[in-house]
């Protein structure tokens, strides 16, 4: 269809010269006047083209613009005065500009990024061939039908070709709509906020669709698996740590990045609460998208989240448990939170102790220890303490600073109030949180299979 646009241009570039001299009475400068009108139409199309951003049915816009261009060439063939032809050329210029924008947008939506360069090269070669071939076809059409008939023939031919390919445009739109949905969801993920549009398209092109029944584990705490990064397309999932629910995931929420970025076992079990549909990205594609193409994908690679975040509100915004909480609520939590300094080797929290505080590590490193055994390492950006805050139970593990640490300390009451504003299962859990019942150390429920105490706590 991009070549069809070139066919239209090639036909007009030959027929327009003859038409301006012999049919429309515009004189030697006539063709220049007509092309100036087309240029004015292209300028007028700029604000209209901007409206195409995010449109779901771009192929239909492309088809409509091509039909309009063909119909306007035919209309020039029926014109009795040069003034009418000038007006028609304004519309022709608008149609050509819109078809160009729509065609390029559709290309990026339906062609895999790795193939775009090759496809573009083929398209450009095809466009040159079609434009040149149409320029040679035009004199033959004038010889057979006369100048007026040649314009009617050329315009009508374009309309017939587009209408004959109507189903193809529909299929293109169906394919592009699925891509657009994924693009919108991926662009809403904080990790990908800074990616250019073409790189986002590259991420979307590599996504796999996954459908899972209710009560299916997508990831399991403490296990290394061959899975990757996941983005929720529909349905609800629960996040469990040591058998305790600490979060709920819905459409647009993502999970699995910690195990990939830092090459460690899964920090939590993610279990479908309903039938769910997921977009999945394998480890190599995910790390390339986040960290670039020159990263080390070996098993011992350890990749961080990027620049250290110091702003409390931004730290809270990126905490998984606070996803979906309004900025106004997060600002209120940040106002009531405090910064805590902990020296190397000092405990941050102690196993079995009743404490109502949620922490986010701003700087430094810390170890998670259960019954004297180190279970994992915490790095800047990691939050911990949800279990004790949401379920009002004693700490299930100790956390000890490996070096001088700086932490954001969030009062449990503020965290529960914020989580309640999210609604859903996790909101109800926060609202119904009981008062702590005692000081005994809490272990994972028997038979849960969740023996490792890993972040979040």
């Amino acid at each position: 269809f991009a070549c069809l646009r070139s066919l239209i241009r090639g036909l007009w570039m030959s027929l327009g010269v003859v038409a301006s001299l012999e049919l429309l009475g515009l004189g030697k400068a006539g063709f220049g006047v007509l092309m100036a009108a087309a240029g004015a139409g292209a300028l007028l199309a700029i604000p209209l083209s901007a409206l195409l951003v995010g449109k779901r049915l771009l192929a239909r816009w492309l088809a409509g613009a091509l039909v309009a261009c063909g119909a306007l060439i035919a209309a020039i063939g029926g014109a009795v005065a040069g003034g009418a032809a000038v007006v028609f050329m304004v519309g022709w210029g608008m149609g050509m500009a819109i078809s160009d924008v729509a065609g390029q947008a559709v290309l990026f939506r339906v062609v895999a990024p790795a193939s775009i360069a090759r496809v573009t090269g083929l398209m450009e070669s095809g466009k040159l061939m079609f434009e040149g071939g149409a320029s040679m076809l035009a004199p033959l059409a004038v010889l057979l039908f006369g100048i007026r008939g040649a314009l009617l023939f050329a315009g009508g031919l374009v309309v017939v070709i587009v209408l004959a390919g109507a189903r193809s445009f529909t299929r293109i739109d169906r394919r592009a709509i699925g891509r657009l949905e994924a693009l919108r969801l991926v662009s809403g993920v904080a990790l990908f906020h800074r990616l250019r549009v073409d790189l986002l398209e590259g991420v979307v092109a590599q996504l796999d669709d996954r459908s899972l029944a209710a009560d299916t584990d997508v990831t399991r705490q403490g296990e290394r698996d061959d899975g990757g990064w996941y983005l929720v397309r529909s349905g609800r999932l629960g996040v469990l740590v040591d058998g305790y629910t600490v979060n709920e995931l819905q459409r647009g929420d993502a999970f699995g990045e910690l195990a990939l970025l830092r090459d460690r076992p899964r920090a939590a079990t993610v279990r479908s609460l309903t039938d769910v549909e997921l977009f999945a990205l394998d480890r190599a594609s995910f790390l390339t998208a986040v960290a670039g193409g020159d990263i080390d994908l070996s098993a011992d690679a350890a990749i961080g989240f990027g620049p250290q975040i110091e702003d409390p509100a931004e730290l809270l915004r990126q905490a998984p448990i606070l996803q979906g909480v309004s900025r106004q609520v997060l600002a209120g939590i940040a106002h009531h939170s405090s910064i805590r300094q902990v020296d190397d080797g000092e405990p941050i929290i102690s196993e079995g102790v009743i404490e109502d505080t949620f922490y986010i590590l701003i700087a430094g490193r810390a170890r998670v220890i259960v019954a004297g055994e180190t279970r994992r390492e915490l790095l800047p950006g990691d939050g911990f303490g949800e279990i004790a805050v949401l379920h009002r139970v004693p700490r299930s593990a100790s956390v000890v600073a490996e070096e001088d640490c700086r932490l954001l300390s969030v009062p449990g009451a503020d965290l529960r109030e914020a989580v309640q504003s999210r609604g859903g299962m996790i909101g109800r859990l926060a609202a119904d949180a009981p008062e702590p019942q005692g000081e005994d150390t809490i272990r994972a429920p028997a038979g849960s299979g969740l023996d490792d105490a890993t972040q979040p706590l």
Side-chain angles (χ1 to χ4, degrees):
F1 296 112
C3 293
L4 181 58
R5 181 182 179 277
S6 296
L7 176 71
I8 296 171
R9 179 176 173 81
L11 287 169
W12 171 249
M13 295 300 288
S14 293
L15 295 176
V17 175
V18 180
S20 63
L21 291 171
E22 299 186 6
L23 180 64
L24 303 173
L26 294 176
K28 295 181 178 180
F31 185 68
V33 172
L34 293 176
M35 294 308 295
L43 291 175
L44 292 174
I46 292 176
L48 185 58
S49 298
L51 297 178
L52 298 180
V53 177
K55 288 292 184 182
R56 295 171 64 86
L57 304 177
L58 280 179
R60 297 186 185 182
W61 280 80
L62 172 60
L66 292 175
V67 167
C69 290
L72 287 168
I73 289 178
I76 292 174
V80 295
V86 171
V87 173
F88 292 149
M89 283 303 296
V90 172
W92 185 85
M94 292 180 66
M96 292 293 282
I98 292 171
S99 66
D100 188 43
V101 172
Q104 289 296 321
V106 167
L107 172 68
F108 282 104
R109 287 188 184 178
V110 300
V111 177
S115 302
I116 284 179
R118 183 170 62 256
V119 172
T120 300
L122 291 173
M123 283 176 53
E124 291 302 318
S125 298
K127 286 160 69 173
L128 290 173
M129 181 177 69
F130 270 74
E131 186 169 336
S135 297
M136 293 189 294
L137 178 63
L140 179 60
V142 172
L143 180 63
L144 294 175
F145 308 117
I147 180 58
R148 195 179 298 275
L151 290 167
L152 292 170
F153 166 76
L157 176 64
V158 172
V159 172
V160 168
I161 292 175
V162 174
L163 294 179
R167 290 186 178 181
S168 297
F169 285 102
T170 300
R171 286 196 296 269
I172 290 172
D173 269 335
R174 286 175 181 169
R175 182 178 177 185
I177 285 173
R179 180 80 167 266
L180 180 59
E181 178 194 10
L183 179 63
R184 288 174 175 172
L185 288 177
V186 170
S187 64
V189 176
L191 282 171
F192 299 126
H193 279 172
R194 297 184 179 181
L195 289 188
R196 303 192 310 266
V197 173
D198 57 334
L199 295 179
L200 277 176
E201 292 281 1
V203 172
V204 171
Q206 298 174 79
L207 293 175
D208 292 325
D209 294 327
R210 304 278 179 87
S211 296
L212 300 174
D215 201 31
T216 301
D217 288 347
V218 184
T219 65
R220 292 182 179 176
Q221 181 182 357
E223 290 188 1
R224 293 180 181 270
D225 54 46
D226 295 328
W229 173 83
Y230 301 95
L231 178 63
V232 184
R233 185 177 185 181
S234 65
R236 297 185 301 114
L237 303 100
V239 181
L240 299 94
V241 176
D242 292 342
Y244 291 96
T245 298
V246 297
N247 207 352
E248 182 180 11
L249 304 173
Q250 302 182 39
R251 177 178 170 83
D253 291 330
F255 63 96
E257 63 271 12
L258 287 180
L260 304 182
L261 288 167
R262 292 168 180 172
D263 187 37
R264 61 193 192 187
R266 297 293 183 177
T269 294
V270 178
R271 181 173 299 153
S272 58
L273 303 175
T274 65
D275 292 348
V276 298
E277 292 184 359
L278 305 172
F279 290 120
L281 195 64
D282 65 78
R283 180 175 186 261
S285 298
F286 174 79
L287 294 180
T288 299
V290 172
D294 297 327
I295 60 171
D296 177 13
L297 297 179
S298 62
D300 60 352
I303 301 169
F305 281 104
Q308 183 174 299
I309 299 173
E310 297 283 350
D311 178 39
E314 182 63 19
L315 279 168
L316 293 166
R317 189 181 71 82
Q318 295 198 15
I321 194 173
L322 293 172
Q323 294 298 304
V325 175
S326 70
R327 290 184 178 274
Q328 182 178 3
V329 172
L330 292 178
I333 299 176
H335 179 72
H336 291 105
S337 300
S338 60
I339 302 298
R340 178 180 171 186
Q341 302 282 348
V342 179
D343 294 335
D344 180 15
E346 294 296 318
I348 300 172
I349 60 176
S350 298
E351 185 177 1
V353 171
I354 295 174
E355 183 191 6
D356 194 26
T357 307
F358 172 69
Y359 295 99
I360 300 178
L361 190 59
I362 301 174
R365 294 172 180 256
R367 289 177 293 135
V368 177
I369 301 173
V370 177
E373 180 183 348
T374 298
R375 296 299 176 86
R376 59 158 300 162
E377 185 179 50
L378 299 174
L379 301 174
D382 285 340
F384 55 96
E386 297 98 315
I387 289 178
V389 171
L390 291 177
H391 294 270
R392 303 302 299 275
V393 296
R395 297 294 191 186
S396 60
S398 297
V399 177
V400 178
E402 280 192 305
E403 55 191 44
D404 291 347
C405 291
R406 189 164 68 256
L407 304 107
L408 183 68
S409 176
V410 182
D414 289 333
L415 183 72
R416 286 190 294 273
E417 183 178 352
V419 170
Q420 287 180 52
S421 71
R422 285 179 51 180
M425 177 188 67
I426 195 69
R428 294 191 298 272
L429 177 64
D432 297 336
E435 292 297 324
Q437 298 300 309
E439 298 184 359
D440 291 335
T441 300
I442 302 299
R443 300 297 183 189
S448 68
L450 304 174
D451 299 323
D452 292 333
T454 53
Q455 183 272 340
L457 300 175

